[in-house]
Amino acid sequence: MKPSEIHIPFCDKCAVESNSLFRHLTKDEVDKINYEKDFRHYRRGDVLYQEGNRINGFYCINGGVIKVFKTGLDGKEQIIRFAKKGDIIAYRSVISNEPACTTAEVIEDAHVCFIPAEVLFLFVKTNPAFSFELMKLTCHELEEANSYITDIAQKSVRERLAEVLLHLVEEFGLDENNYLKISLTREELSNIVGTATESVIRLLSEFKGDKLIELHGRKIKVLNAKGLEKISNVFN
Amino acid sequence: MKPSEIHIPFCDKCAVESNSLFRHLTKDEVDKINYEKDFRHYRRGDVLYQEGNRINGFYCINGGVIKVFKTGLDGKEQIIRFAKKGDIIAYRSVISNEPACTTAEVIEDAHVCFIPAEVLFLFVKTNPAFSFELMKLTCHELEEANSYITDIAQKSVRERLAEVLLHLVEEFGLDENNYLKISLTREELSNIVGTATESVIRLLSEFKGDKLIELHGRKIKVLNAKGLEKISNVFN
DNA sequence: CGGTACGTTGAGTCATATCAACCATAGTGG
DNA sequence: CCACTATGGTTGATATGACTCAACGTACCG
């Protein structure tokens, strides 16, 4: 689909389709976002915002995939999360009124709505249900972050890679042939797992040798999810 | 101070003293907490709540120190945070209405107020300013968690230990003789850093050899904070 | 066709985990 | 009061997972 064929999405429709936070808004509130928002297109590699930037609004993803990462030692990225249709990013910086502490970069060409900070403040202040849902969302992310800290501190790279693959299956799904719907570079994978690129490569081909996955370039076919689960030690 | 000498604290006073979240409440609201709360004492080793527990309220720390941790592989703890005077814990589970995903255990004898969930819900729904502050708090914790993920994924144990020591200095302070005001077992230290107890012991005595710290049992005297900063690689 | 980014493999090294033994301390119960 | 036990701390020896460095292969792109 070329950009010219993409129409500015209606928030109410998008919110329902994507099960986003905005389904907790009233008709008038959704109209307000529709009116205030700025619809933008980005291509793979484009950066929405960078660590240290002051951002005067947040982004709601209508389509495509964004990676959100922090830059650590020697510029190595640590991917914190992905954002896809219905997800919002940068809201943390808006709420805290602090410069962004992450960078957001497009992985799959994306359509994104930029919504001014004031709109968020207004809703938070006047719509307790929305406010509560946003808080739930934040709490959920916090819980995930804490779990990941425990994982990364205690599990081996092998376990973590298996776990990451399963997370990707859960978040992005498999196509009819069991191929993971998202494709990442080996480096990106290593930046989620928190390891060296070479380690990811070696472990992936181990998994392949054990008939857990097949590799076709960046496309990963999942043959044995149960096996990956076993390796990942998800339970315990 | 013996338990019998400790009086039930007034939330308004406590809130101001400790700069807690509750300073954003109205007089009536503070009165409501004062009326609804349950004041409790705990000794070192006591557990306030455990992973998997359903909790119908949250805790506000009036004194003492609590460690909040997740249990990972082989029962190894990963300490997520500490809570001291003015901090609240377990609010995440209350907001999400999910079982606790952490355990809270007393490190230094503590006085704690237990506040029923409904009170929190009420305030969140009726006091946007409070709600906003709570959201800020959550966002702040989220940001810290994300930073720690990056650290733990990219830094060496040595760097992380130095960093943890500095964090402890920041959070708990030093006494007049530069002793860290909180004392932890080597195992607890290792459960923050995310490493083996033996590694902590070896690195601590390295730091001691480099005249960065002195060790007297569990008491740690900080001799050269700048040196620790250098090791920890905080800036980059 | 050369350039650039990504992927792969091998070899060597090192930090850290693991295992085991031992010491110090304090609390317990006979 | 003393052996007994538990808990925490320390040290040494050994094993190994994972990183680093380097070389080379591959594919796409202008």
Side-chain angles (χ1 to χ4, degrees):
Chain A
M1 193 154 55
K2 287 179 211 136
S4 58
E5 297 175 46
I6 300 166
H7 306 295
I8 297 184
F10 294 110
C11 293
D12 48 354
K13 192 158 164 292
C14 174
V16 170
E17 282 170 16
S18 63
N19 205 25
S20 91
L21 199 63
F22 296 156
R23 67 193 186 285
H24 300 281
L25 295 176
T26 64
K27 175 95 181 63
D28 282 357
E29 287 167 335
V30 172
D31 284 348
K32 180 162 178 70
I33 297 190
N34 248 321
Y35 178 75
E36 298 272 3
K37 82 188 176 196
D38 181 15
F39 186 55
R40 303 174 182 177
H41 299 280
Y42 296 94
R43 317 198 131 274
R44 177 171 172 88
D46 288 351
V47 168
L48 307 210
Y49 62 85
Q50 252 180 326
E51 226 160 321
N53 286 171
R54 284 237 159 238
I55 326 175
N56 57 354
F58 66 103
Y59 302 82
C60 182
I61 318 301
N62 180 58
V65 180
I66 318 276
K67 65 174 171 181
V68 178
F69 61 88
K70 288 183 84 82
T71 309
L73 298 171
D74 312 316
K76 176 151 174 92
E77 300 175 2
Q78 178 64 38
I79 296 182
I80 300 296
R81 55 175 290 219
F82 292 102
K84 55 180 199 303
K85 180 163 180 140
D87 292 336
I88 60 174
I89 55 177
Y91 72 93
R92 204 207 58 79
S93 306
V94 170
I95 297 284
S96 308
N97 191 29
E98 286 167 2
C101 58
T102 51
T103 303
E105 186 185 318
V106 176
I107 286 205
E108 282 178 17
D109 294 2
H111 339 291
V112 174
C113 295
F114 178 82
I115 301 158
E118 302 81 53
V119 178
L120 183 61
F121 289 138
L122 179 69
F123 293 165
V124 166
K125 284 194 179 135
T126 57
N127 183 338
F130 174 80
S131 173
F132 191 64
E133 287 304 318
L134 180 55
M135 210 178 286
K136 266 193 189 170
L137 179 70
T138 317
C139 285
H140 178 70
E141 283 190 43
L142 181 56
E143 154 59 8
E144 296 221 312
N146 286 338
S147 289
Y148 203 53
I149 287 175
T150 310
D151 270 11
I152 218 166
Q154 300 196 5
K155 287 185 177 179
S156 66
V157 171
R158 186 189 167 78
E159 291 170 303
R160 265 145 54 202
L161 178 59
E163 187 172 350
V164 163
L165 290 176
L166 291 171
H167 266 140
L168 291 174
V169 170
E170 207 179 298
E171 184 162 6
F172 295 99
L174 300 171
D175 69 12
E176 62 280 4
N177 296 316
N178 265 7
Y179 279 95
L180 199 51
K181 272 192 191 151
I182 185 164
S183 46
L184 302 167
T185 66
R186 305 291 136 118
E187 192 180 1
E188 280 163 345
L189 268 174
S190 80
N191 291 342
I192 311 172
V193 175
T195 188
T197 310
E198 296 95 323
S199 298
V200 165
I201 290 170
R202 281 183 241 268
L203 287 167
L204 280 180
S205 70
E206 251 190 62
F207 289 173
K208 183 176 143 192
D210 297 344
K211 305 270 182 252
L212 298 167
I213 56 173
E214 265 177 32
L215 298 171
H216 299 100
R218 284 183 200 168
K219 280 288 173 196
I220 297 178
K221 182 172 184 170
V222 177
L223 299 176
N224 182 358
K226 283 271 171 234
L228 289 174
E229 229 169 71
K230 211 163 197 171
I231 290 177
S232 76
N233 251 321
V234 189
F235 310 108
N236 251 30
Chain B
M1 197 155 46
K2 290 178 209 137
S4 58
E5 298 175 46
I6 300 165
H7 305 294
I8 297 183
F10 293 110
C11 293
D12 48 355
K13 193 159 163 289
C14 174
V16 170
E17 281 171 16
S18 63
N19 205 24
S20 89
L21 199 62
F22 297 155
R23 69 192 184 286
H24 300 281
L25 295 175
T26 65
K27 174 97 181 63
D28 282 357
E29 287 166 334
V30 173
D31 284 348
K32 181 163 178 66
I33 296 190
N34 247 322
Y35 179 75
E36 299 271 2
K37 81 187 176 199
D38 181 14
F39 186 55
R40 303 174 181 176
H41 299 279
Y42 296 93
R43 316 199 131 272
R44 174 168 173 92
D46 288 350
V47 168
L48 307 208
Y49 62 85
Q50 251 179 327
E51 226 162 321
N53 286 172
R54 285 235 158 241
I55 325 175
N56 56 355
F58 65 103
Y59 302 81
C60 182
I61 317 301
N62 178 59
V65 180
I66 318 275
K67 66 174 171 182
V68 178
F69 62 87
K70 288 183 85 83
T71 309
L73 299 171
D74 312 315
K76 177 152 173 90
E77 300 175 2
Q78 177 64 41
I79 296 182
I80 299 296
R81 55 174 289 218
F82 292 102
K84 56 179 197 304
K85 180 161 180 142
D87 293 336
I88 59 174
I89 55 177
Y91 72 93
R92 204 208 58 79
S93 306
V94 169
I95 297 284
S96 308
N97 191 30
E98 286 167 2
C101 58
T102 51
T103 302
E105 187 186 318
V106 175
I107 285 205
E108 282 178 15
D109 294 4
H111 339 290
V112 174
C113 295
F114 178 83
I115 302 159
E118 303 80 53
V119 178
L120 184 62
F121 289 137
L122 179 69
F123 293 164
V124 166
K125 283 193 180 134
T126 57
N127 183 337
F130 174 80
S131 172
F132 191 65
E133 287 303 319
L134 181 55
M135 211 178 283
K136 265 192 188 169
L137 179 70
T138 318
C139 285
H140 177 71
E141 283 192 44
L142 181 55
E143 154 59 7
E144 296 222 311
N146 286 338
S147 290
Y148 202 52
I149 288 175
T150 310
D151 269 11
I152 219 166
Q154 300 196 4
K155 287 185 177 179
S156 67
V157 170
R158 185 188 167 78
E159 291 171 303
R160 264 145 55 204
L161 178 59
E163 187 172 350
V164 163
L165 290 176
L166 291 172
H167 266 138
L168 291 175
V169 170
E170 207 179 300
E171 184 162 8
F172 295 99
L174 300 171
D175 69 11
E176 62 281 5
N177 295 316
N178 265 9
Y179 281 94
L180 199 51
K181 273 193 190 150
I182 186 166
S183 48
L184 302 166
T185 66
R186 306 290 136 117
E187 192 180 1
E188 280 164 345
L189 269 173
S190 80
N191 291 343
I192 312 171
V193 176
T195 187
T197 309
E198 296 95 323
S199 298
V200 165
I201 290 171
R202 281 183 241 268
L203 287 168
L204 280 180
S205 69
E206 251 189 62
F207 289 173
K208 183 176 141 192
D210 297 344
K211 306 269 181 253
L212 298 167
I213 57 173
E214 265 177 33
L215 298 170
H216 299 99
R218 284 184 198 165
K219 280 289 171 195
I220 297 177
K221 181 171 183 170
V222 177
L223 299 176
N224 182 357
K226 284 271 172 238
L228 288 175
E229 228 169 69
K230 210 162 197 173
I231 290 177
S232 76
N233 250 321
V234 188
F235 310 107
N236 250 29

